[in-house]
Amino acid sequence: MNISLLSIKNIASKPLSTSLSLILLSLGVGLISLMLHIDKHLQAQMTNTIRGIDMVVGAKGSPLQLILSAVFQVDVPTGNIKLSEANTLQKNSLVEYGIPLSYGDTYQSFRIVGTTQEYPALYAMQLAKGDFWDMSLQVTLGASVAEKTGLNIGDTFLGSHGLSEGGHVHEDQYYTVTGIFKSSGTVIDQLILTGLESVWDIHGSHADYERDSVEHKSGHTESGEKIEATQTDEQNHVDEYTNENHGESEDDREITAMLIKFRSPMGMVLLPRMVNENTNMQASLPNYELLKLFSLMGIATTTLSMVAFVVILVSGISVFISLYLSLKERTYEMTLLRTYGASRRQLLGMIFQEGALIALTGFILGLMLSRVGLLVISMMLKSDYSYDFSESIMLKEEGYLLMITLCIGLMAALVPAIQVVKINLSKTLADA
Amino acid sequence: MLSTHSLSFEYDEHNQLEFPDLKLQVGDNLLILGESGIGKTTLLHLISGLLKPKTGKIIIDGTDLFQLCDKQLDTFRGGAIGIVFQRPHFINSLTLGENLALIQFLGKKKADPVRINLVLDSLGMLSKKNRKPHLLSQGEQQRAAIALAVINQPKLILADEPTAALDDKNCIKVIELLKSQTKRNKASLIIITHDQRLKSEFRNSVSLASKMEILPFN
């Protein structure tokens, strides 16, 4: 039996007030820790998603909406832009590469995105099985899509128009699955990728589509070459083919957005302004928009953090009241301890230990709470978004949180401790 | 063993107390009798080092109490003096056995469960070892309080009105218990009381009078 054990026994002997303090404390700590983790993971995920994309070009509208729709695939697009305009921009010497995106259809609320193979390459996607799409109306599925829909290689499905469920179904234009990506934790897990021409074909005239599909079946047709050209040499070759074969001018072709990487920082200075001022398109910088978004999110997380801190403070007060009241009851016990040889310092140690012990226990419970919360959130979000929260390492900020919590525990013990120092042994004994 | 020299104490100007010199040999028992308000408890607190006198000194077992610093005094008290209070008090969050173990720790003694069992057994309290002491009966609490006082084998056992609330039968029982425990632990016993029933139980007694004169008994 020693002072530390006595502290523990003292705490355990008043289960009600102890559990009240612990519940409050762990709630506060849990909330803050949860927020820290979510904030960090979101920022890391988002920053990771915009890696390799310096600028997004799309139709005029909200720049944030453009980023959200084209990069994160969560918002509706701002509109369409002319492929010819996007291609002109892509040929600019300041541009290293541009990846065209064309979307608007979904299958079971998974987006069907027409693009080039550079898009999956941007996120270093690897195939789990099968192959990349090769012809019009062939698709490669993200891992989550394959898992959720149960589609496998060779399966066919119908896309529906619009990004929400219940849109018009493009009847008898079946997509065929040619491959499935490995899971990567990126936005592509949630997407169905196909060639640009698929999207054009589906939304083009019915006749166009029929001719296309006949040509596809016959194998060595110009249409087949067209796709090859698209994949290797970007859009300039496509132009010729579309002009020749479909009798459709390039001017009529539209895409939804283009992801652009600059060759040099000079591009950052010149191109956005050029696009915004001289074309019908809008240029949006994901880095800049994300910063704006984070600062908006910051207000929300700061508010929540403040609420959580108040909860922690209240729990500090609860620890204080519990210590103070029990000490009033225990004045005689303290005197007893003193007469049996306990020094002031030992009693002080005991009081502070009780405060610190509650704080520490509350902190650990809070961390456990936040991990459970993270688990629940990650299970909930995994089905809807590509954001994975399952990693639960200890954050540096949680170290600070521990220190703050301990400080509050010790502060709560301060006044009771002063009372203990001031106990008049003789008087207490005589009054008893 | 114990000697006091010209002890005096003052709460304030109108409340000054002077105490007779006391001398106690090892193994001796002493009864200090006095009416309420005469300074009995003050004397006990002085002897146990809980209060500092205005003048005079107290020597216990060769140690001058008031030469010690606070911390040393706490340690000395824990090891050398066992106090039985008027009303028994315990650490409520601990069992009787844990209370005793804690006092061993505070008195800087080694944890000694054998000693705890021995003391409890000699008081007929072994079966109550794992009970919370404040939930015991009055008589059991009294005995438990004696166990707390003797567990560290102190040289000096001080008892403050141990019999005030007891009937004749229990009064004698408690005194016998105190005496036998003192003997068993080779200690000296000082009982401070206004209880005249105890006079016949002690050979040595000192009466405190308002003028602080010593009235030798028998």
Side-chain angles (χ1 to χ4, degrees):
Chain A
M1 182 58 53
N2 55 39
I3 295 290
S4 309
L5 227 78
L6 179 59
S7 309
I8 297 170
K9 294 262 181 186
N10 277 336
I11 293 173
S13 72
K14 31 177 190 169
L16 274 184
S17 65
T18 302
S19 32
L20 174 67
S21 309
L22 285 181
I23 288 170
L24 286 171
L25 203 55
S26 54
L27 263 183
V29 170
L31 267 179
I32 291 183
S33 156
L34 195 64
M35 227 122 52
L36 287 173
H37 274 275
I38 291 177
D39 204 45
K40 193 181 142 89
H41 271 82
L42 273 184
Q43 296 212 9
Q45 277 283 357
M46 289 185 153
T47 316
N48 197 31
T49 306
I50 63 165
R51 193 187 45 194
I53 305 170
D54 290 334
M55 182 173 83
V56 180
V57 178
K60 293 232 186 264
S62 150
L64 182 58
Q65 187 188 351
L66 179 58
I67 300 291
L68 287 178
S69 71
V71 181
F72 297 102
Q73 304 285 351
V74 288
D75 206 346
V76 292
T78 48
N80 288 342
I81 53 172
K82 290 260 183 288
L83 180 61
S84 56
E85 270 193 302
N87 282 334
T88 319
L89 179 65
Q90 200 185 356
K91 283 176 208 149
N92 190 302
S93 61
L94 288 170
V95 171
E96 187 177 331
Y97 58 76
I99 303 169
L101 296 178
S102 190
Y103 47 94
D105 284 2
T106 52
Y107 173 67
Q108 290 190 4
S109 78
F110 289 107
R111 291 173 179 225
I112 301 169
V113 178
T115 182
T116 63
Q117 290 189 8
E118 283 181 317
Y119 187 49
L122 182 64
Y123 294 108
M125 298 301 295
Q126 289 176 314
L127 285 164
K129 48 185 168 181
D131 217 333
F132 285 100
W133 67 93
D134 192 31
M135 291 186 285
S136 180
L137 290 176
Q138 290 186 334
V139 297
T140 308
L141 304 180
S144 303
V145 183
E147 192 187 323
K148 276 280 153 53
T149 59
L151 286 173
N152 216 326
I153 291 173
D155 289 352
T156 57
F157 62 92
L158 284 170
S160 63
H161 192 69
L163 293 177
S164 50
E165 265 176 288
H168 164 73
V169 176
H170 296 290
E171 279 168 45
D172 55 66
Q173 283 168 307
Y174 285 93
Y175 287 104
T176 310
V177 180
T178 60
I180 296 170
F181 289 116
K182 280 184 188 162
S183 174
S184 65
T186 65
V187 68
I188 296 203
D189 286 358
Q190 311 285 326
L191 299 179
I192 300 169
L193 297 188
T194 182
L196 283 169
E197 60 282 1
S198 302
V199 179
W200 292 329
D201 285 347
I202 281 197
H203 295 97
S205 71
H206 208 69
D208 264 352
Y209 155 70
E210 273 184 344
R211 207 175 63 202
D212 251 350
S213 61
V214 169
E215 282 168 355
H216 287 156
K217 277 171 198 154
S218 61
H220 277 288
T221 61
E222 289 162 320
S223 186
E225 288 168 50
K226 178 192 95 182
I227 294 152
E228 223 165 68
T230 312
Q231 285 156 3
T232 51
D233 229 342
E234 300 304 314
Q235 305 300 346
N236 32 358
H237 291 269
V238 179
D239 307 342
E240 299 162 23
Y241 275 101
T242 44
N243 283 333
E244 285 171 24
N245 292 313
H246 297 268
E248 227 179 291
S249 97
E250 191 213 298
D251 290 348
D252 296 337
R253 295 288 198 197
E254 287 186 329
I255 57 173
T256 318
M258 183 174 266
L259 310 176
I260 285 176
K261 164 100 179 152
F262 298 134
R263 206 178 287 280
S264 73
M266 238 358 230
M268 191 70 86
V269 182
L270 295 175
L271 282 180
R273 171 178 281 194
M274 194 199 88
V275 172
N276 284 334
E277 286 178 1
N278 301 336
T279 69
N280 277 327
M281 302 183 294
Q282 171 192 217
S284 174
L285 304 172
N287 256 321
Y288 177 72
E289 295 301 327
L290 269 198
L291 278 182
K292 275 205 308 199
L293 189 63
F294 287 157
S295 73
L296 279 175
M297 270 168 34
I299 296 172
T301 52
T302 309
T303 313
L304 260 175
S305 293
M306 270 160 60
V307 171
F309 264 118
V310 169
V311 174
I312 289 185
L313 265 183
V314 169
S315 112
I317 294 171
S318 141
V319 174
F320 162 72
I321 291 176
S322 146
L323 276 179
Y324 187 81
L325 286 184
S326 79
L327 214 68
K328 274 207 132 112
E329 294 161 16
R330 275 159 50 194
T331 311
Y332 209 97
E333 285 189 13
M334 296 292 162
T335 317
L336 200 69
L337 290 174
R338 286 294 307 279
T339 60
Y340 281 116
S343 65
R344 281 202 174 87
R345 198 185 294 174
Q346 277 175 310
L347 294 193
L348 280 185
M350 182 176 82
I351 304 290
F352 280 120
Q353 244 172 32
E354 287 181 25
L357 211 63
I358 290 179
L360 196 67
T361 316
F363 179 78
I364 292 168
L365 283 178
L367 281 202
M368 280 156 60
L369 207 65
S370 79
R371 295 307 186 269
V372 172
L374 280 176
L375 205 70
V376 171
I377 289 178
S378 82
M379 283 194 312
M380 272 163 35
L381 286 194
K382 249 186 180 167
S383 53
D384 294 336
Y385 292 94
S386 58
Y387 302 130
D388 186 359
F389 287 105
S390 50
E391 280 174 62
S392 51
I393 32 130
M394 180 107 171
L395 295 179
K396 191 177 69 188
E397 286 84 351
E398 284 174 335
Y400 299 142
L401 193 58
L402 172 63
M403 279 187 262
I404 292 171
T405 316
L406 277 182
C407 275
I408 286 176
L410 294 180
M411 289 288 281
L414 194 62
V415 175
I418 293 171
Q419 301 286 109
V420 166
V421 173
K422 288 204 304 205
I423 285 179
N424 182 329
L425 296 184
S426 176
K427 197 161 182 305
T428 312
L429 287 173
D431 287 349
Chain B
M1 170 61 219
L2 165 82
S3 59
T4 69
H5 302 281
S6 53
L7 273 183
S8 73
F9 185 83
E10 67 171 21
Y11 285 102
D12 53 55
E13 279 175 41
H14 311 289
N15 237 330
Q16 299 189 351
L17 299 168
E18 282 175 35
F19 298 100
D21 289 354
L22 300 173
K23 252 193 166 48
L24 195 64
Q25 297 306 315
V26 176
D28 271 1
N29 296 340
L30 178 69
L31 184 71
I32 298 176
L33 273 166
E35 294 303 313
S36 300
I38 212 157
K40 293 191 306 288
T41 301
T42 307
L43 179 59
L44 184 120
H45 289 175
L46 285 172
I47 294 174
S48 54
L50 295 171
L51 282 178
K52 297 218 167 185
K54 188 184 164 211
T55 62
K57 60 181 176 180
I58 297 171
I59 292 168
I60 296 174
D61 205 21
T63 308
D64 188 341
L65 280 195
F66 303 110
Q67 297 293 317
L68 302 174
C69 72
D70 278 3
K71 195 174 179 330
Q72 285 170 322
L73 191 57
D74 287 333
T75 310
F76 180 79
R77 187 191 311 120
I81 302 174
I83 307 176
V84 182
F85 295 106
Q86 189 169 354
R87 268 193 285 148
H89 280 272
F90 309 93
I91 308 299
N92 289 345
S93 56
L94 302 181
T95 66
L96 180 54
E98 288 168 339
N99 264 282
L100 292 170
L102 180 67
I103 288 169
Q104 282 185 335
F105 168 79
L106 292 176
K108 306 254 187 298
K109 308 278 186 199
K110 270 204 189 121
D112 187 352
V114 179
R115 167 82 188 151
I116 292 176
N117 287 342
L118 204 71
V119 168
L120 286 178
D121 198 27
S122 73
L123 289 161
M125 294 284 289
L126 197 51
S127 58
K128 313 287 190 229
K129 186 181 171 186
N130 294 322
R131 300 273 297 277
K132 296 275 170 75
H134 64 282
L135 300 178
L136 297 173
S137 75
Q138 183 92 32
E140 286 168 339
Q141 287 195 20
Q142 197 90 38
R143 278 184 280 165
I146 295 173
L148 298 197
V150 301
I151 186 71
N152 280 347
Q153 292 179 288
K155 300 263 166 33
L156 182 62
I157 296 171
L158 301 174
D160 186 9
E161 303 272 18
T163 58
L166 303 179
D167 58 31
D168 289 355
K169 189 174 151 220
N170 281 307
C171 167
I172 302 300
K173 250 185 170 172
V174 166
I175 293 304
E176 289 304 325
L177 216 49
L178 274 172
K179 282 210 257 186
S180 65
Q181 285 293 323
T182 309
K183 204 166 188 179
R184 194 192 286 262
N185 292 295
K186 300 185 184 62
S188 305
L189 174 68
I190 296 178
I191 294 181
I192 294 186
T193 186
H194 72 276
D195 193 344
Q196 299 290 334
R197 291 177 295 186
L198 301 185
K199 268 188 188 175
S200 54
E201 300 290 326
F202 286 84
R203 274 187 299 112
N204 301 326
S205 80
V206 172
S207 286
L208 296 182
S210 50
K211 289 276 159 71
M212 293 302 151
E213 53 206 292
I214 304 165
L215 300 177
F217 186 69
N218 68 355

